Amino acid sequence: MDIKSVQEGVKSPFIENIEEYVVVFLDIDNIRYINDTFGHSIGDKFLSMFGNRLSQIVGEEGIVFKYNDGEFVILFHKNEKELIDKKIQFILNESNKVFKEEDYEILSTASIGVYTPNSNDKIDDIIKKAYIAMYQGKTEGKGNYKHFTNSIEEKIKRKTLLTKELTKSIERNYEGLYLIYQPIYNVVEKKIDEAEALMRWKNQELGEISPAEFIPIAEEMGLIRKLGYWLIKKVLRQIKEWNKEGLNLKIAINISPQQVAEKDFLKKIKETIHEEDIDFRQIKLEITETQILKLDEQRFKDLTELINLGVDIALDDFGEGYSSIKSLVFSPITEVKIDKIFIDYIHQDEKIQKLISSIIYTVHGLGYKVIAEGVEYKEQFDKLLEYGCDKIQGYYIERPIDEKKIVEFIKGFHNTHYAI
Ligand code: G
Ligand code: G
Ligand code: MN
């Protein structure tokens, strides 16, 4: 069957009354992988098979067009939403079947976006909106479908804007990006001897943007490595400055998945620490439990080597993900950071008290230290002390502050709190 491209289709009489259709954008999730792994001729056969199957399924209820490689646009005749949703669900299921060609077996999934046009919509905008819905669905997990909404469009616009501005900041020598440091209280030594470095971004036009917003975007758009290395260098220089003033802090650095997965990860970190002439024992890397179990053996070796050099590896946001027990036993770590979701209730909820006290016991048994984050009240602090938690971080001690304030804070703290 010969499927027309959208470009041909636009000229065809079918698209004249676009408001009579619902527009579906379908993207085969792993088309690049298929082409690269099985070769383009197999890829082409797969696409042709896929297109034919799609035309069969859609049948008289619509028209299928080719778009770019691995992309199709389907115009469904307007119908009840439930019926169209059913049809799309069927297409998704059918897209997720094994395709056999020669000796190859190919398993693919597709992502779909849906837009219902108005009569005055232009074809390019229509396809773009269906595409945007598809793209948003894909970022939330492949093999899904999503209807276009204005809020999806807003989200994408904001993401595009932040990506553009962040790229500009990086090009302008990291303009507007800066670090703050949150003190960490050492329960055994009864002093502040660590801090967590946290990235901040103040954009001239957009103002202060939360890392909870810009870090996931930097990760998705491939900007996080640059940011990550900039941050490490900046932290190391700061440590040197503080050392000169007689303040020897260990600094915790948050590491993103792409950074730790990088082939030269260990080498680069080692080199940078050497270059700046810093003691490895002044560095801690925080890696979330969800991300640590995705690492391969080589990365585990890298982390173990860093630990042997004196670097601390903390399992960040512990308990918030889904693989806690496994990550505890199998990962190269030295410390577990209990997530704020438990600390929030530790002074009130008996179950959480039982859970956290036994986690602390278990983690100590495995030979790691325990740190609690998000400690805001004395009652929470007291409970954690009672259970033998090693380190405390949270607003109860202090908020994240700049590199000058933290020096004053620690001096003041040590003068007034011989013991809390
Ligand atoms: O500081 P704040 O609570 O606003 O941070 C929000 C989130 O952003 C937290 O989960 C924190 O771990 C993350 N974050 C802050 N700074 C960095 C950083 O330098 N690198 C990475 N990967 N994440 C960071
Ligand atoms: O996920 P991660 O551990 O990197 O997150 C650290 C973030 O948590 C910091 O950005 C900091 O702003 C925030 N944070 C630290 N202590 C507290 C606290 O006591 N209360 C609240 N609400 N946030 C905190
Ligand atoms: Mn952290």
Side-chain angles (χ1 to χ4, degrees):
M1 196 183 300
D2 186 31
I3 301 176
K4 279 200 176 73
S5 72
V6 170
Q7 288 73 18
E8 291 169 72
V10 172
K11 286 185 227 128
S12 83
F14 294 120
I15 296 192
E16 247 162 38
N17 302 316
I18 193 69
E19 70 279 8
E20 290 172 13
Y21 295 93
V22 172
V23 179
V24 168
F25 193 104
L26 183 149
D27 180 65
I28 298 174
D29 290 319
N30 32 4
I31 190 65
R32 259 199 68 183
Y33 171 79
I34 293 170
N35 278 330
D36 292 348
T37 319
F38 303 101
H40 274 262
S41 85
I42 297 282
D44 288 348
K45 280 186 185 155
F46 169 76
L47 278 182
S48 148
M49 180 283 307
F50 193 95
N52 288 338
R53 184 83 190 100
L54 205 52
S55 299
Q56 271 172 15
I57 297 170
V58 173
E60 296 295 306
E61 291 170 63
I63 322 153
V64 179
F65 296 106
K66 275 188 293 203
Y67 201 56
N68 294 320
D69 229 16
E71 295 172 344
F72 295 90
V73 171
I74 308 160
L75 303 190
F76 273 114
H77 297 296
K78 256 197 187 152
N79 208 326
E80 285 171 46
K81 188 173 172 289
E82 285 76 36
L83 285 177
I84 290 185
D85 280 348
K86 238 183 184 159
K87 200 85 194 170
I88 291 170
Q89 192 57 55
F90 185 70
I91 292 176
L92 281 182
N93 293 343
E94 287 294 306
S95 304
N96 194 8
K97 283 195 170 157
V98 175
F99 162 72
K100 287 202 175 101
E101 179 67 36
E102 296 170 20
D103 287 338
Y104 301 112
E105 286 193 2
I106 301 176
L107 182 64
S108 70
T109 58
S111 296
I112 286 180
V114 189
Y115 177 60
T116 308
N118 305 310
S119 55
N120 49 356
D121 277 348
K122 293 201 181 65
I123 187 73
D124 286 348
D125 291 338
I126 290 167
I127 294 176
K128 197 164 129 194
K129 285 181 173 170
Y131 174 86
I132 283 175
M134 181 284 294
Y135 180 82
Q136 182 61 29
K138 200 196 275 279
T139 54
E140 290 168 20
K142 292 174 177 175
N144 255 317
Y145 81 97
K146 235 187 167 59
H147 286 267
F148 174 86
T149 60
N150 287 328
S151 87
I152 290 182
E153 191 175 31
E154 288 305 312
K155 235 189 214 166
I156 303 259
K157 272 191 189 150
R158 171 90 177 158
K159 194 194 269 182
T160 313
L161 176 66
L162 290 190
T163 307
K164 200 180 97 205
E165 288 298 320
L166 195 54
T167 309
K168 216 158 72 186
S169 284
I170 293 173
E171 279 166 3
R172 294 181 181 168
N173 203 17
Y174 300 88
E175 185 184 75
L177 287 151
Y178 61 99
L179 302 186
I180 51 175
Y181 302 86
Q182 186 171 31
I184 296 171
Y185 176 68
N186 181 327
V187 175
V188 180
E189 305 284 335
K190 293 194 167 63
K191 62 180 191 186
I192 309 271
D193 53 7
E194 295 186 16
E196 178 176 3
L198 294 155
M199 213 186 293
R200 292 291 181 265
W201 180 28
K202 188 168 184 182
N203 181 271
Q204 268 185 349
E205 259 116 79
L206 306 168
E208 198 74 50
I209 298 151
S210 161
E213 187 179 13
F214 77 80
I215 289 197
I217 293 178
E219 287 175 341
E220 190 187 331
M221 298 303 177
L223 299 169
I224 196 71
R225 287 187 196 176
K226 276 195 174 162
L227 284 182
Y229 282 112
W230 167 80
L231 177 133
I232 290 173
K233 270 219 151 76
K234 188 125 180 131
V235 166
L236 291 172
R237 292 199 178 144
Q238 188 57 58
I239 290 177
K240 228 156 60 179
E241 287 299 311
W242 284 325
N243 285 350
K244 273 190 225 154
E245 296 176 45
L247 181 63
N248 295 101
L249 286 176
K250 176 183 295 191
I251 301 298
I253 298 170
N254 290 283
I255 301 288
S256 287
Q258 289 95 327
Q259 290 176 272
V260 73
E262 205 175 342
K263 209 170 99 249
D264 288 341
F265 171 72
L266 169 73
K267 207 172 124 227
K268 274 195 181 161
I269 294 233
K270 251 170 48 177
E271 270 172 17
T272 321
I273 296 176
H274 270 308
E275 266 167 35
E276 299 296 334
D277 198 21
I278 301 283
D279 189 332
F280 284 98
R281 286 169 299 186
Q282 283 193 275
I283 306 295
K284 168 157 54 182
L285 305 181
E286 292 194 5
I287 305 179
T288 64
E289 58 169 337
T290 320
Q291 110 196 39
I292 206 159
L293 282 169
K294 292 187 187 149
L295 299 178
D296 60 16
E297 211 170 307
Q298 185 55 47
R299 237 40 65 191
F300 268 29
K301 279 188 191 149
D302 287 353
L303 291 177
T304 309
E305 196 178 333
L306 281 173
I307 290 174
N308 291 337
L309 289 167
V311 172
D312 262 337
I313 306 289
L315 200 55
D316 203 359
D317 303 338
F318 180 74
E320 192 259 358
Y322 50 80
S323 48
S324 324
I325 308 290
K326 200 170 144 196
S327 56
L328 270 186
V329 181
F330 295 110
S331 313
I333 54 170
T334 60
E335 187 173 304
V336 170
K337 193 165 190 180
I338 299 175
D339 197 80
K340 183 173 181 302
I341 54 168
F342 304 107
I343 308 305
D344 283 346
Y345 303 101
I346 198 168
H347 53 310
Q348 298 162 333
D349 188 315
E350 213 174 305
K351 274 190 185 167
I352 290 192
Q353 291 169 355
K354 290 242 156 53
L355 178 75
I356 297 306
S357 56
S358 47
I359 284 180
I360 293 176
Y361 178 82
T362 306
V363 170
H364 281 161
L366 294 170
Y368 315 133
K369 295 251 190 290
V370 181
I371 173 166
E373 67 179 335
V375 180
E376 293 181 348
Y377 308 110
K378 184 172 189 312
E379 293 86 339
Q380 298 170 332
F381 180 84
D382 289 343
K383 276 280 167 234
L384 289 160
L385 252 51
E386 184 190 326
Y387 301 149
C389 187
D390 304 285
K391 302 169 189 186
I392 309 277
Q393 177 180 358
Y395 295 172
Y396 178 64
I397 303 295
E398 179 58 299
R399 289 176 180 252
I401 42 182
D402 72 28
E403 69 277 3
K404 290 200 180 68
K405 285 209 185 97
I406 194 168
V407 179
E408 288 163 34
F409 171 76
I410 292 175
K411 275 186 197 154
F413 188 91
H414 290 161
N415 285 336
T416 48
H417 297 68
Y418 290 107
I420 20 180

PDB file of all heavy atoms in Angstrom, residues 11 128 146 159 197 211 213 402:
ATOM      1  N   LYS A  11      -2.107  18.915  -0.114  1.00  0.00           N
ATOM      2  CA  LYS A  11      -2.674  19.384  -1.375  1.00  0.00           C
ATOM      3  C   LYS A  11      -3.917  18.580  -1.759  1.00  0.00           C
ATOM      4  O   LYS A  11      -4.689  18.975  -2.602  1.00  0.00           O
ATOM      5  CB  LYS A  11      -1.617  19.246  -2.479  1.00  0.00           C
ATOM      6  CG  LYS A  11      -0.531  20.302  -2.381  1.00  0.00           C
ATOM      7  CD  LYS A  11       0.408  20.194  -3.578  1.00  0.00           C
ATOM      8  CE  LYS A  11       1.863  20.224  -3.132  1.00  0.00           C
ATOM      9  NZ  LYS A  11       2.645  19.109  -3.650  1.00  0.00           N
ATOM     10  N   LYS A 128       1.913  20.496  14.709  1.00  0.00           N
ATOM     11  CA  LYS A 128       2.795  20.867  15.814  1.00  0.00           C
ATOM     12  C   LYS A 128       2.139  20.570  17.162  1.00  0.00           C
ATOM     13  O   LYS A 128       2.777  20.062  18.081  1.00  0.00           O
ATOM     14  CB  LYS A 128       3.125  22.358  15.706  1.00  0.00           C
ATOM     15  CG  LYS A 128       4.328  22.767  16.526  1.00  0.00           C
ATOM     16  CD  LYS A 128       4.837  24.119  16.101  1.00  0.00           C
ATOM     17  CE  LYS A 128       5.000  25.028  17.286  1.00  0.00           C
ATOM     18  NZ  LYS A 128       5.170  26.418  16.915  1.00  0.00           N
ATOM     19  N   LYS A 146      -1.318  11.072  24.557  1.00  0.00           N
ATOM     20  CA  LYS A 146      -1.741  12.234  25.310  1.00  0.00           C
ATOM     21  C   LYS A 146      -2.512  13.181  24.408  1.00  0.00           C
ATOM     22  O   LYS A 146      -2.156  13.351  23.239  1.00  0.00           O
ATOM     23  CB  LYS A 146      -0.483  12.958  25.808  1.00  0.00           C
ATOM     24  CG  LYS A 146      -0.485  13.169  27.302  1.00  0.00           C
ATOM     25  CD  LYS A 146       0.650  14.004  27.783  1.00  0.00           C
ATOM     26  CE  LYS A 146       0.401  14.427  29.211  1.00  0.00           C
ATOM     27  NZ  LYS A 146       0.244  13.374  30.171  1.00  0.00           N
ATOM     28  N   LYS A 159       9.870  25.365  28.827  1.00  0.00           N
ATOM     29  CA  LYS A 159      11.073  24.525  28.719  1.00  0.00           C
ATOM     30  C   LYS A 159      12.004  25.056  27.624  1.00  0.00           C
ATOM     31  O   LYS A 159      13.212  25.146  27.814  1.00  0.00           O
ATOM     32  CB  LYS A 159      10.647  23.084  28.403  1.00  0.00           C
ATOM     33  CG  LYS A 159      11.759  22.080  28.603  1.00  0.00           C
ATOM     34  CD  LYS A 159      11.436  20.755  27.971  1.00  0.00           C
ATOM     35  CE  LYS A 159      10.736  19.803  28.895  1.00  0.00           C
ATOM     36  NZ  LYS A 159      10.478  18.495  28.250  1.00  0.00           N
ATOM     37  N   ALA A 197      26.566  21.525  48.678  1.00  0.00           N
ATOM     38  CA  ALA A 197      26.563  22.588  47.672  1.00  0.00           C
ATOM     39  C   ALA A 197      25.287  22.488  46.852  1.00  0.00           C
ATOM     40  O   ALA A 197      24.932  21.406  46.387  1.00  0.00           O
ATOM     41  CB  ALA A 197      27.778  22.437  46.750  1.00  0.00           C
ATOM     42  N   PRO A 211      16.143  25.184  41.176  1.00  0.00           N
ATOM     43  CA  PRO A 211      16.847  24.032  40.587  1.00  0.00           C
ATOM     44  C   PRO A 211      15.898  22.865  40.343  1.00  0.00           C
ATOM     45  O   PRO A 211      16.135  22.057  39.440  1.00  0.00           O
ATOM     46  CB  PRO A 211      17.906  23.677  41.625  1.00  0.00           C
ATOM     47  CG  PRO A 211      17.478  24.330  42.879  1.00  0.00           C
ATOM     48  CD  PRO A 211      16.658  25.519  42.508  1.00  0.00           C
ATOM     49  N   GLU A 213      13.289  23.121  38.957  1.00  0.00           N
ATOM     50  CA  GLU A 213      12.799  23.328  37.597  1.00  0.00           C
ATOM     51  C   GLU A 213      13.926  23.228  36.560  1.00  0.00           C
ATOM     52  O   GLU A 213      13.790  22.544  35.551  1.00  0.00           O
ATOM     53  CB  GLU A 213      12.098  24.691  37.483  1.00  0.00           C
ATOM     54  CG  GLU A 213      11.428  24.855  36.131  1.00  0.00           C
ATOM     55  CD  GLU A 213      10.691  26.176  35.953  1.00  0.00           C
ATOM     56  OE1 GLU A 213      10.875  27.096  36.780  1.00  0.00           O
ATOM     57  OE2 GLU A 213       9.947  26.295  34.966  1.00  0.00           O
ATOM     58  N   ASP A 402      25.250  31.627  51.537  1.00  0.00           N
ATOM     59  CA  ASP A 402      26.386  31.813  50.620  1.00  0.00           C
ATOM     60  C   ASP A 402      27.717  31.549  51.320  1.00  0.00           C
ATOM     61  O   ASP A 402      27.778  31.325  52.519  1.00  0.00           O
ATOM     62  CB  ASP A 402      26.330  33.184  49.928  1.00  0.00           C
ATOM     63  CG  ASP A 402      26.655  34.338  50.865  1.00  0.00           C
ATOM     64  OD1 ASP A 402      27.415  34.136  51.839  1.00  0.00           O
ATOM     65  OD2 ASP A 402      26.147  35.439  50.639  1.00  0.00           O
TER      66      ASP A 402
END
